[in-house]
Amino acid sequence: MQNNPNTTLVTPTAPITAKTHGGRAKCLQRLARLDLPVPTTVALSFDAVLDIAKGHFPDIDAILTQFPPEALLCVRPSSEDPDWGGPSAVLNIGMNDQRFETLCGTLGVDAATALFSRFVQSYAIHVDRLDPDMFDDIEGEGTDALHRALEAYESETETPFPTTRAAQLTGVLKSMARAWEGTSARLLRQAKGAPADAGLGLVIQQMAFGMGHGESGSGVLQLVSSKTGKPQITGRYLRQSQGRDALSGDAASLYITRDPRGPSLEEHVPDAFAQLVAHARQMRQKLREEMQVEFTIENGQLHILDGVRVARSSRATVRIAVELARDGIIPTQEALMRVEPRALNELLHRQVDRHAKRDVIGSGIAASPGAATGRVVFTATDAQASAARREDCILVRRETAPEDIRGMHAASAVITERGGVTSHAAVIGRGIGLPCVVGVSDMRFEPSKGKLIANDGRVISAGDVITVDGTNGTILLGAPEMQEAALDDAFNALMEWADAERDIGIRANADTPADAQTARNFDAQGIGLCRTEHMFFEPGRLTVMREMIFAETSDDRRAVLERLLPMQRDDFTQLFRIMQGKPVCIRLFDPPLHEFLPTDRNGQRELADALDLPLSDVTRRIEEMAEYNPMLGMRGVRMGITVPEIYDMQARAIFEATVEASRESDPVVPEIMIPLVSAKREVELVRSRIDGVAAAVATEQHVKFDYRLGVMVETPRAALRAGEIAQHCSFLSFGTNDLTQMTYGLSRDDAGRFMSDYVRQEVFAEDPFHSLDVEGVGELLQLGSARGRAAQPDLTLSICGEHGGNPESIAFCRQAGFDYVSCSPFRVPVARLAAAQLAISHKIG
């Protein structure tokens, strides 16, 4: 049997692999190789179990000859990945009247009765699929209760309870094999990532009783905390028990190590405790993993029943991988590969504790990770007022607009009724690390009445306390327990190793000095996108900006912009200083001007008073500027050509800040990016003006400085005509948010309303605003980059849309030969790790 590929005695040399017999079988073989006290075990392969499901059984008698005649057995599932689950284990196979009488003499009547009763109920429920309620009328314990259980079984099945070990084992194997092939089980494991044809192995193991006259019991032990990953011997031990009874919450369970709260295994059985810890350390060293050890003590003798990978939080995942590498057990490259990049969000942001009770009142798109609790407010002004009172608040809007940015900075989290993963709220939320849930369609928003109405009818009013879980896209009532963010030494070590491996640059999108400092703290290699328009929404600047919009002539506009110039210059100087010589790519003004004007009557009245204009003039001017489709209207480079004074002012501010920052440290080489380009002539016109401003500043300041000019490729035509555009550029940066929007003809703000239906019906494999469409949009990137580099071989290529922080998108950019990706500051660590994993995977093929 040792060499039988399908019915295999577990020995150090048996033909067992995780892909043929499952992870549990392979782990038990490894424990046997370590000469640990593992009970006799026979492993059934995936093929053998599949045959059983079809009614073809292995030689049961041959299997039973591997065990002592009187030994009781247990059967456990062994799937390729433990996370895929499997049918429940069945213990004490072989119990019958004869074995019962024997155990009464060795264990005592009470213990033997408990074993037999447990087996009868387990067999009835898990093997014969009987209703557990059939045993509800059986009261008390002891032999009378046992006999009533046997009678209930016989009454329900109209057959006596099986008495032979062979018959019982056959029934258990058939039941577990068919359970795995059931529709519900298949759907459940596929939801956990298992392939549709995933196989199940089974292990048949001799029972090591946790019951006896001497010290007996069962429990689990691990060497690290599942929450933090730090060294901490934890677990539970329950005397006179079997399996994982110790974890059932029984008050009689003992602690593993000495504990002031109660008795412990270490105190009562120090020798077994010492052996157990030694075995666990040996498993860590040889299996190259932190393992939870399942054990039994039978009359003072220790048995190791199983070893499973320690369950762990994302924080613990990082710590465990790093410590294994530090101890030389695994190489740093393997440590990097063991951490899922997106799992870093748990370390970077505050989260709802995984064990906290959740009262979910709504859900939407998880647009920006992290969690926050606060009182509901419905306007940006109220959010700012809450911040002034030092009260946490949650800003609720139908959708956010640029004028809401101050309120978003003041809030602890944001909820919007509309929008998708690249909507305004989502992009700003990710940029400043603000938890955000958008596209909340299962709640009714009534902001004018100051309330939200959940699907179940509950009303949440302004001032009520709610929690936003931006990681999972849910809204919770009340304030559940939180887990704080933690960037510790293990995280820093992992990031250092990642930087040593990756071969593509990682920059951050940062609009303010605060964003830049966050990017710097996360070791971004520079700023890949600074959206300058966000600087104009500060209270002191918005009024000036509106004055400029209402100016009648070019000279009037220039005069007003002179007041904004020092503000912009100070912003850029701070950015350059914070980044300390790292590249900073500044996008020139992009949005349509109407975004800076109030839409409501009260706001328009206040603007008229501020500008000393009749209200009718203000409303008429606002109406004149309205566009049917402002995202495709006069914005970006079109604004720079038709209202050139704005770009002139911004270019001067950039160059004067360059001179100022370069006096204190290494010379600054700013990168200036022209947005929404679609024609070569646009670049020529803007470049000539910027070159003129640069020359003027150099003459005035009596200094020389360098700068780089590039284009943000976000229209399909720019990608197609990249060859002629690149002749006037140092770099091309693909703005994949707008490029996706224009390629698909989809509004990134409105697509969330139907995108889930499209993905569900397989129109799109995934939301193209969430994961880069490598077939359509990706082809434009490839065309644009190839044509651009053909015209300009040393052209720098990058993407600066939100796809830049997506691991799958980074893989595409790396393969296409891009120099760097740029993403929100809080996604920089995720991108650094993902890039490292891609480089490692490439090296190992």
Side-chain angles (χ1 to χ4, degrees), residues 53 68-69 168 250 406 413 429 471 504 545 646 690 709 724 748 825:
Q168 293 173 2
D250 193 311
R406 297 192 305 277
T471 303
I504 187 171
M545 189 67 185
I646 298 177
I690 290 176
L709 188 75
E724 59 185 28
R748 65 188 189 187

Side-chain angles (χ1 to χ4, degrees), residues 303-627:
H303 300 274
I304 304 297
L305 305 183
D306 198 7
V308 297
R309 181 176 175 272
V310 167
R312 61 200 68 181
S313 67
S314 296
R315 185 176 308 180
T317 297
V318 171
R319 168 70 61 179
I320 289 170
V322 168
E323 292 300 335
L324 287 170
R326 283 173 171 169
D327 291 344
I329 295 173
I330 61 174
T332 56
Q333 291 87 348
E334 185 173 345
L336 289 165
M337 298 301 289
R338 287 191 179 191
V339 180
E340 166 63 35
R342 291 185 179 88
L344 295 183
N345 284 326
E346 186 174 311
L347 282 73
L348 302 175
H349 302 276
R350 198 171 182 234
Q351 305 284 344
V352 176
D353 190 281
R354 63 175 59 195
H355 301 298
K357 291 184 178 179
R358 293 168 173 257
D359 185 0
V360 179
I361 54 175
S363 61
I365 298 169
S368 180
T373 299
R375 297 188 181 279
V376 172
V377 298
F378 288 91
T379 68
T381 302
D382 288 343
Q384 290 176 278
S386 292
R389 296 191 301 269
R390 297 187 177 181
E391 291 180 359
D392 294 330
C393 69
I394 308 297
L395 178 61
V396 178
R397 304 288 289 160
R398 290 198 185 277
E399 58 187 333
T400 61
E403 62 259 31
D404 291 314
I405 288 178
R406 297 192 305 277
M408 294 177 71
H409 278 280
S412 299
V414 174
I415 302 168
T416 67
E417 181 182 21
R418 306 181 187 124
V421 291
T422 55
S423 63
H424 179 269
V427 171
I428 300 302
R430 286 193 293 271
I432 63 178
L434 187 72
C436 181
V437 177
V438 302
V440 180
S441 58
D442 59 354
M443 300 183 78
R444 194 161 78 246
F445 285 59
E446 297 186 358
S448 60
K449 298 179 181 178
K451 62 183 181 181
L452 288 169
I453 303 176
N455 256 350
D456 59 8
R458 284 186 285 180
V459 177
I460 294 85
S461 303
D464 290 347
V465 175
I466 63 172
T467 296
V468 175
D469 185 345
T471 303
N472 296 311
T474 55
I475 301 156
L476 316 175
L477 190 63
E481 187 177 347
M482 293 284 189
Q483 182 176 341
E484 299 301 324
L487 305 183
D488 55 16
D489 64 300
F491 170 82
N492 292 329
L494 192 78
M495 290 293 99
E496 288 178 10
W497 299 341
D499 289 341
E501 296 292 336
R502 63 183 172 84
D503 52 13
I504 187 171
I506 308 295
R507 295 197 199 179
N509 300 340
D511 305 333
T512 65
D515 295 342
Q517 188 60 57
T518 301
R520 181 78 191 184
N521 294 343
F522 287 141
D523 287 330
Q525 293 176 285
I527 294 175
L529 172 63
C530 172
R531 292 166 285 228
T532 53
E533 59 271 9
H534 291 159
M535 300 173 175
F536 292 114
F537 284 99
E538 293 297 319
R541 307 180 188 189
L542 185 57
T543 301
V544 181
M545 189 67 185
R546 288 170 171 173
E547 284 186 49
M548 188 276 297
I549 295 172
F550 276 81
E552 296 292 340
T553 67
S554 175
D555 288 340
D556 290 341
R557 284 193 293 272
R558 193 172 286 109
V560 177
L561 288 167
E562 282 291 326
R563 291 155 57 193
L564 284 175
L565 173 62
M567 303 177 192
Q568 281 261 281
R569 182 176 59 231
D570 289 345
D571 288 331
F572 297 141
T573 302
Q574 287 187 65
L575 291 181
F576 295 147
R577 286 172 175 165
I578 290 169
M579 298 314 294
Q580 299 177 7
K582 294 181 183 294
V584 176
C585 183
I586 298 170
R587 183 181 74 182
L588 297 174
F589 192 88
D590 180 51
L593 291 178
H594 75 85
E595 286 194 1
F596 295 86
L597 300 176
T599 56
D600 62 289
R601 198 69 170 176
N602 288 336
Q604 292 170 0
R605 189 175 292 107
E606 292 174 3
L607 178 58
D609 292 340
L611 300 180
D612 194 23
L613 292 172
L615 178 60
S616 58
D617 289 356
V618 171
T619 55
R620 183 173 62 253
R621 178 68 170 146
I622 292 174
E623 289 170 359
E624 289 172 355
M625 296 183 68
E627 296 178 291

